[in-house]
Amino acid sequence: MDQNLDQNESDDYQDQEEELDDNMFDDPEDFVDDITDEELMDDMLAQRPEEDTSLDNIIVVDNAPIVGPDRLSKLKGVLKKIFQRFGEIVTEFYPVNENNETKGYFFMEFATHDEAVAAVNTGNGYRLDKSHIFAVYFFTDFEKYETLPTEWSPPKKEEYKEKGNLWSWLLNPDCHDQYSVIHNAGATVSVFTNTNTEPKLVMTRENWTDTYVRWSPQGTYLATFHKQGIALWGAEDFKRLGRFSHTGVSLIDFSPDERYLVTFRKALQENDSESLVIWDIKTGAKKRSFAASDATDWPIIKWSHDGKYFARLSADRLSVYETSTFYMLDKKSIVVPSIKDFSWSPTDNTIAYWVPEIGQIPAKVTLIEIPSRNEIRTKNLFLVQDCRMQWHKQGDYLCVKINRWATKSKKNLTYTFEIFRMRQALIPVDTIEMKDQPILSFGLEPYGTKFAVLHGEPPGRISFSCYELSHKGAGSSISRIKTMERKPTNQIFWCPKGKFLVLAGLKGMDGQLEFYDAESSEFILMQSSEHGMATDLEWDPTGRYVVTSVSFWSQKMDTGFIVWSFQGRQLYKNPVTLDKFCQLLWRPRPLTLLSAEDIKNIKKNSKKYHHQFDAQDRLGREKASQVIIDKRRKMMDEFSRFRHRKAQEFETAKRPTDYVEPELDEESDFEDLFILENEETEELT
């Protein structure tokens, strides 16, 4: 019985203790908790996903390989390598079935929504292999498709968005062209309007591009490079007109009609089918993609002059595609064993390609018409080491530079040019032999019949030769009209309109420039100039101006550019504000709407407008001179006011009114007094 009482007392004590413990942790009735969760767990709450945005960062990838546990880790490594190019992968999930095999789809969450968008746009349609082509969607798409209304309703008409005048720069009353400049070591891009005296700033932006910029062939768009892809800009204020997501893009190209954009990135893995992509510029749609291991021979895709066809090389094949369907022409490629290179005519749907020697079969250059694929000319060549093709701007000639072995033992090289006359019956071919003189540069005159070549051993034995490609009726001939020896140049630059050329010593030479009038057979030297250490030269679209430049990308000292007239007169240098200059590109002009007859009449009657143009040029120079004078006078006035103000401040602070002359000790020498005065003056100042 005593034991029962002890047990009861123990139970009562335990109940009282539990009740006491509960009461110890109870809050008073009037207690108010004013401590927030952020104060207690700020580090954990910072990682809390937001309900409105977290699902937008998740993608679903379908048509993935189905593998077991033994191959799952390898599959994860391959897939992660592909998709981490689009951004930071936060989490990934691979569902498995009852046999621990993957179900053929997986989930990935990116750090930002923009990275998920890039993964969907670029990853959708990615070919992992022949049996697995990814279908990539947003996770939120499933919810959207589940809640689709059962009754159809017509789509809302999209509001028209005004893009502005894409050719606004052509409305300049003085017909001044524009050019883009990359400076500040690549951090800043500016667009200027060119004048005879100094450039006028149109637009400047910091971090506009990650690498470089490029104009479209007709000057409508300015393309900039970014981590996620390409952006196109245009109109009066250079607003963004399009974005194309292609992570890691490094090279681009346009179709001649500016309808399509080609982007290239380094392949993520072997047979990456998304390394080369063709986009529709107007709609932003992806039209076709290809696998490309590298871009050594860029451009990989080459366009016909009208943009109706494009072609690319593959193993022993030349594949031609139609842009109307983006499928191969006649559903088959042109089989050409060991084909090396090809090129489209700039005015006709004609392709020229060459193949090297194969055993006893000679090398050859072949011309074929598209879409018929008819061979219209073939030229056999022997002992060929290499070929390089160049078309005349109007398609009148095809020039093929050939490096030949002098003997079958292949010890020494000789050099020849084969000139195909495209406008004559049966396309005759003329030959120019240069023998053992290496070719440094060559070029056909645009809108003309001249052919120029630099040949010889640099630096002191370089010669310049010019030939006339004349033809009368069915006959034709090539005659040398000029030869100049010991030229300090290594490149030829024809004016885009012909008649003038510049011989330049660039990249490793002293920057010597020689401006020639090539219209006459005498080849008149108009001006000799110099731009030390120049690395680049470019004509403007009209042929009135030439720019030479020293790029920061090539060397770090004395960077900048100089604008010259076509006669070799220096007009101006780059402004001092353009520090660490990198690149200058003239904005191209669209094709003229005038016929050949209209242009001929304008040239014939040009003397009628000669005095009018001279008067406008004089007036422009006078206005420019007055502007420069006013600018310098304003700067001088500002400097005078600044100097006067500083002089007054100096007189006021030089010696205060309560200054006491120090007593000179008899034993002190002149040096001690001088030190004392300096110390006091510095202290007062």
Side-chain angles (χ1 to χ4, degrees):
M1 183 174 183
D2 292 338
Q3 292 180 355
N4 293 336
L5 288 175
D6 293 340
Q7 182 66 34
N8 292 335
E9 289 177 358
S10 177
D11 293 341
D12 293 341
Y13 176 77
Q14 185 174 359
D15 293 340
Q16 292 176 5
E17 187 178 26
E18 291 178 356
E19 182 178 358
L20 180 63
D21 291 341
D22 293 340
N23 294 333
M24 288 179 63
F25 293 95
D26 288 343
D27 295 325
E29 295 182 359
D30 58 346
F31 175 77
V32 178
D33 187 2
D34 58 353
I35 301 178
T36 63
D37 292 341
E38 285 74 9
E39 293 177 322
L40 294 176
M41 300 180 295
D42 57 338
D43 55 341
M44 296 184 63
L45 292 176
Q47 304 178 11
R48 179 178 56 187
E50 298 180 6
E51 182 179 357
D52 294 335
T53 60
S54 60
L55 295 181
D56 293 337
N57 302 348
I58 301 175
I59 66 171
V60 182
V61 183
D62 199 4
N63 296 333
I66 299 176
V67 298
D70 55 334
R71 299 179 58 192
L72 180 58
S73 60
K74 184 176 181 180
L75 176 64
K76 287 182 177 181
V78 173
L79 298 178
K80 190 172 183 178
K81 183 178 179 181
I82 295 173
F83 283 91
Q84 69 183 0
R85 295 291 297 270
F86 306 120
E88 179 186 355
I89 300 176
V90 179
T91 58
E92 50 186 323
F93 176 65
Y94 296 82
V96 295
N97 56 21
E98 60 277 3
N99 298 325
N100 286 331
E101 293 179 340
T102 59
K103 294 185 177 182
Y105 60 89
F106 59 93
F107 302 85
M108 278 189 174
E109 179 183 0
F110 288 88
T112 65
H113 177 63
D114 291 339
E115 294 173 349
V117 171
V120 172
N121 293 339
T122 308
N124 188 38
Y126 180 88
R127 183 186 296 272
L128 184 64
D129 53 40
K130 294 182 179 180
S131 304
H132 301 92
I133 301 176
F134 292 154
V136 186
Y137 311 96
F138 289 106
F139 183 78
T140 54
D141 288 346
F142 292 92
E143 180 180 357
K144 179 178 67 175
Y145 295 139
E146 286 180 353
T147 58
L148 288 176
T150 56
E151 296 183 1
W152 179 85
S153 59
K156 293 182 180 180
K157 185 177 180 180
E158 294 185 5
E159 182 181 356
Y160 173 73
K161 295 181 180 179
E162 177 62 42
K163 292 185 177 181
N165 187 355
L166 301 183
W167 287 359
S168 58
W169 88 97
L170 297 175
L171 301 178
N172 186 287
D174 297 321
C175 300
H176 290 155
D177 288 283
Q178 293 183 352
Y179 55 79
S180 64
V181 175
I182 300 179
H183 54 103
N184 194 18
T188 308
V189 179
S190 302
V191 179
F192 293 91
T193 297
N194 178 53
T195 67
N196 290 333
T197 55
E198 62 180 0
K200 295 181 180 179
L201 181 64
V202 178
M203 177 69 66
T204 185
R205 292 179 184 173
E206 300 290 333
N207 303 316
W208 201 354
T209 183
D210 292 342
T211 53
Y212 62 99
V213 300
R214 178 170 174 178
W215 293 102
S216 59
Q218 300 181 25
T220 307
Y221 306 104
L222 178 67
T224 57
F225 292 71
H226 307 275
K227 178 182 178 181
Q228 301 299 337
I230 298 295
L232 298 184
W233 312 80
E236 298 90 341
D237 54 352
F238 284 93
K239 59 185 177 183
R240 190 172 61 197
L241 302 176
R243 290 188 300 177
F244 305 89
S245 298
H246 198 189
T247 306
V249 60
S250 58
L251 294 170
I252 65 170
D253 192 25
F254 290 88
S255 62
D257 57 356
E258 297 185 339
R259 179 66 187 275
Y260 304 104
L261 172 69
V262 183
T263 60
F264 169 81
R265 73 168 181 219
K266 186 178 180 180
L268 302 182
Q269 62 176 16
E270 188 177 358
N271 297 325
D272 181 0
S273 62
E274 297 292 322
S275 58
L276 189 70
V277 181
I278 304 177
W279 308 86
D280 189 313
I281 292 179
K282 291 184 178 180
T283 64
K286 183 193 300 182
K287 306 301 293 187
R288 189 70 190 259
S289 62
F290 300 94
S293 57
D294 59 65
T296 305
D297 298 323
W298 185 260
I300 300 174
I301 286 178
K302 299 181 181 180
W303 298 87
S304 63
H305 75 286
D306 53 7
K308 292 183 178 180
Y309 306 96
F310 65 91
R312 61 186 293 263
L313 285 181
S314 55
D316 297 334
R317 295 178 184 275
L318 177 62
S319 302
V320 182
Y321 298 81
E322 298 178 279
T323 54
S324 58
T325 61
F326 276 84
Y327 286 105
M328 198 177 299
L329 181 65
D330 296 335
K331 299 182 180 180
K332 59 181 179 180
S333 58
I334 304 172
V335 179
V336 186
S338 302
I339 183 172
K340 281 289 187 179
D341 193 16
F342 74 99
S343 179
W344 285 92
S345 166
T347 55
D348 304 286
N349 288 334
T350 302
I351 293 178
Y353 67 84
W354 78 277
V355 295
E357 294 182 71
I358 305 175
Q360 299 299 321
I361 303 175
K364 64 179 180 179
V365 176
T366 303
L367 298 170
I368 59 173
E369 287 183 334
I370 300 297
S372 65
R373 306 189 184 208
N374 294 332
E375 292 188 5
I376 57 177
R377 186 67 163 91
T378 297
K379 173 72 174 179
N380 291 332
L381 306 169
F382 298 91
L383 299 176
V384 174
Q385 186 259 349
D386 191 22
C387 285
R388 179 183 168 189
M389 298 180 291
Q390 183 183 110
W391 283 93
H392 184 253
K393 189 173 183 179
Q394 284 65 51
D396 295 341
Y397 306 97
L398 171 65
C399 176
V400 183
K401 181 182 79 76
I402 303 172
N403 300 348
R404 299 177 185 269
W405 296 109
T407 61
K408 293 184 178 180
S409 59
K410 299 182 179 182
K411 291 184 177 181
N412 299 314
L413 287 173
T414 61
Y415 306 90
T416 60
F417 291 97
E418 303 288 343
I419 310 294
F420 292 72
R421 299 178 178 269
M422 301 299 299
R423 305 305 181 194
Q424 296 186 19
L426 303 179
I427 310 180
V429 181
D430 297 317
T431 302
I432 301 176
E433 294 185 0
M434 306 302 297
K435 297 184 179 180
D436 58 348
Q437 301 183 58
I439 309 301
L440 302 180
S441 180
F442 67 96
L444 292 160
E445 178 190 13
Y447 299 98
T449 58
K450 292 183 176 63
F451 172 68
V453 57
L454 279 174
H455 52 94
E457 295 287 348
R461 299 174 58 188
I462 299 176
S463 299
F464 169 80
S465 298
C466 187
Y467 299 83
E468 177 69 34
L469 309 177
S470 61
H471 60 87
K472 297 181 180 179
S476 62
S477 64
I478 295 180
S479 58
R480 181 183 297 186
I481 59 176
K482 190 70 174 180
T483 296
M484 297 179 287
E485 298 180 350
R486 298 186 179 278
K487 306 305 294 181
T489 58
N490 58 1
Q491 292 191 42
I492 297 173
F493 297 92
W494 277 103
C495 171
K497 304 300 180 182
K499 297 184 179 181
F500 304 98
L501 63 79
V502 177
L503 301 182
L506 306 178
K507 296 180 180 179
M509 301 193 75
D510 297 331
Q512 297 293 324
L513 305 172
E514 295 183 352
F515 297 79
Y516 285 93
D517 179 358
E519 189 171 13
S520 66
S521 58
E522 297 299 325
F523 254 81
I524 302 173
L525 175 62
M526 299 183 292
Q527 186 70 39
S528 293
S529 302
E530 180 181 351
H531 186 180
M533 298 183 292
T535 58
D536 301 282
L537 185 147
E538 186 174 358
W539 284 88
D540 81 312
T542 65
R544 297 175 59 193
Y545 304 98
V546 179
V547 169
T548 57
S549 59
V550 180
S551 174
F552 182 80
W553 292 334
S554 298
Q555 59 186 45
K556 308 306 179 185
M557 300 295 295
D558 299 327
T559 61
F561 64 88
I562 300 177
V563 178
W564 314 78
S565 70
F566 71 96
Q567 297 168 325
R569 179 169 58 91
Q570 181 175 321
L571 301 179
Y572 62 86
K573 294 185 178 181
N574 63 288
V576 294
T577 55
L578 300 184
D579 187 30
K580 297 180 180 179
F581 164 84
C582 297
Q583 180 194 53
L584 184 147
L585 292 177
W586 287 98
R587 187 171 191 172
R589 287 190 174 191
L591 300 177
T592 179
L593 301 178
L594 299 175
S595 64
E597 189 65 25
D598 293 335
I599 297 175
K600 183 178 179 180
N601 291 334
I602 291 174
K603 291 181 178 180
K604 182 178 179 181
N605 301 321
S606 61
K607 293 183 179 179
K608 296 181 180 180
Y609 313 104
H610 180 72
H611 301 292
Q612 178 183 350
F613 294 151
D614 284 347
Q616 291 179 353
D617 289 342
R618 285 195 299 270
L619 181 62
R621 286 193 294 268
E622 291 174 0
K623 288 182 178 179
S625 300
Q626 187 62 40
V627 170
I628 294 174
I629 292 173
D630 294 341
K631 184 178 179 180
R632 290 177 177 174
R633 182 178 290 114
K634 181 180 179 181
M635 294 173 63
M636 188 63 187
D637 293 341
E638 291 178 354
F639 173 75
S640 298
R641 290 193 296 269
F642 172 80
R643 185 176 181 275
H644 180 68
R645 185 173 67 254
K646 291 300 180 183
Q648 289 181 340
E649 294 176 358
F650 176 77
E651 291 296 334
T652 303
K654 182 170 63 174
R655 180 169 296 179
T657 56
D658 58 348
Y659 178 79
V660 178
E661 190 76 25
E663 296 182 2
L664 182 63
D665 190 351
E666 295 180 357
E667 297 181 357
S668 300
D669 56 7
F670 179 78
E671 182 178 358
D672 295 335
L673 177 62
F674 180 79
I675 294 174
L676 178 61
E677 289 184 350
N678 281 346
E679 291 177 350
E680 291 181 352
T681 302
E682 292 177 358
E683 182 178 358
L684 291 174
T685 303

